[in-house]
Amino acid sequence: MRPLALLLLLPSFAAAAPVPREPEGPGVELKLDAENQLELEVTIQNNGKKPLVLPYLATPFEHIVVVLRGDKGEEYRIVHTPERVDKMEPGTLTVPAGESKTLTLHTCHYLPRLGEPGQHVTFTATLKHGGKSVESNRLTVNP
């Protein structure tokens, strides 16, 4: 009789198990803005409940890859690593919970790598942190 009583108790233990929480929505968002093709503003919006802390060796852009794509499909990736940065400035980029930080990237140096001048350029950015990647919206800028 004891095994039967044990079986009757099992469903009550299963009902007491914690219910999985609903996902909170995107904790971090990347937004792009540009008035022209020469400068790109990358805004990191922290919607999470904890500060976003990004330590870096050379520049905060170590965590961000920006892709430029021209009208004819040419593509160039801007990747900042300590090996590719002339002046290293170690530090930490902190974005408090519920706030945002905007970084400005001078893209004029990279536009010639797309080939012909005078074409539309589409920017996309990806933030990599803590084993996760967050991709921005696409932003197309007129010449």
Side-chain angles (χ1 to χ4, degrees):
M1 223 191 228
R2 287 187 183 206
L4 183 58
L6 206 66
L7 285 174
L8 293 174
L9 290 176
L10 284 177
S12 63
F13 284 122
V19 178
R21 294 183 345 180
E22 288 291 318
E24 289 181 15
V28 177
E29 291 180 83
L30 273 189
K31 300 174 185 177
L32 303 181
D33 191 28
E35 288 184 21
N36 54 51
Q37 294 179 342
L38 306 179
E39 276 189 1
L40 177 67
E41 290 185 346
V42 179
T43 301
I44 302 169
Q45 175 68 46
N46 182 3
N47 297 323
K49 296 182 179 183
K50 296 180 182 176
L52 174 66
V53 180
L54 301 172
Y56 55 86
L57 294 174
T59 169
F61 278 105
E62 281 175 37
H63 296 278
I64 299 171
V65 175
V66 176
V67 177
L68 289 71
R69 185 169 289 120
D71 282 337
K72 296 183 179 178
E74 307 91 351
E75 184 176 290
Y76 183 76
R77 291 181 183 274
I78 303 173
V79 180
H80 289 86
T81 63
E83 297 82 31
R84 292 185 174 187
V85 175
D86 295 332
K87 183 179 177 187
M88 290 183 58
E89 297 179 18
T92 302
L93 174 67
T94 302
V95 184
E99 294 186 24
S100 65
K101 294 265 174 137
T102 300
L103 305 173
T104 301
L105 177 64
H106 297 280
T107 55
C108 54
H109 310 294
Y110 308 101
L111 291 174
R113 309 221 171 134
L114 294 180
E116 298 176 20
Q119 59 183 316
H120 294 83
V121 176
T122 300
F123 297 103
T124 310
T126 304
L127 172 68
K128 297 180 181 186
H129 72 96
K132 297 178 183 178
S133 293
V134 177
E135 191 166 306
S136 72
N137 56 314
R138 293 177 187 259
L139 175 68
T140 301
V141 182
N142 296 328

